[in-house]
Amino acid sequence: MTYRIKAAIAFLFAAVLAAGCTSRIGDFTTVSTKNVNMDDEYQRVGSTEGSDGTFLVGQPDMKTAVDNALENADASAKYLTNARIYGTSYPFYSKVTVEGDAWAPVSGADAGGEIYRLKTTKNGKFLVSEDGSEKIKVFGAGDASPALQPNGERSR
């Protein structure tokens, strides 16, 4: 084979290996892998991201990606709001990435951020800031459980 044919084959092989695709799996209002008491007070500890990936064999684990996102935010973080989940695939590698706002229980000395409480109204359940300036819908009225819910409108 000539040098040009070998170079072309090497280029095509490298292009196939480097080709990947990322797609949005979903948007969720609330995501957690931990037991959460929604009667407690929580404060937002910041935006976070976590992922899990596999090489060659297996599927990435969404639970591990959520756990990594919570741990990256704060050791005491319990759940994420406004979560976005992405899947990325390459020929020999797959990854799940979770992004969102992390929330941790308020403990007396840590209460430096804005504090939120769960409120139930006829329109559903909301995380409402202590001063009432912000309201985030958590689950709709009549929902039986706080399982993963598709992201709704954010109301203020």
Side-chain angles (χ1 to χ4, degrees), residues 23-93:
S23 61
R24 197 173 193 140
I25 294 172
D27 297 338
F28 298 94
T29 303
T30 307
V31 174
S32 184
T33 58
K34 310 208 181 287
N35 293 326
V36 178
N37 181 355
M38 294 306 284
D39 292 329
D40 291 344
E41 291 182 336
Y42 291 88
Q43 65 184 359
R44 191 178 326 193
V45 293
S47 294
T48 186
E49 179 180 309
S51 62
D52 183 52
T54 60
F55 185 72
L56 290 178
V57 180
Q59 289 281 13
D61 184 23
M62 192 178 306
K63 179 189 182 311
T64 302
V66 172
D67 286 340
N68 290 340
L70 292 170
E71 290 170 15
N72 290 341
D74 188 274
S76 63
K78 294 286 188 187
Y79 64 93
L80 302 172
T81 59
N82 303 317
R84 295 158 312 281
I85 301 176
Y86 301 94
T88 303
S89 294
Y90 294 96
F92 300 108
Y93 181 74

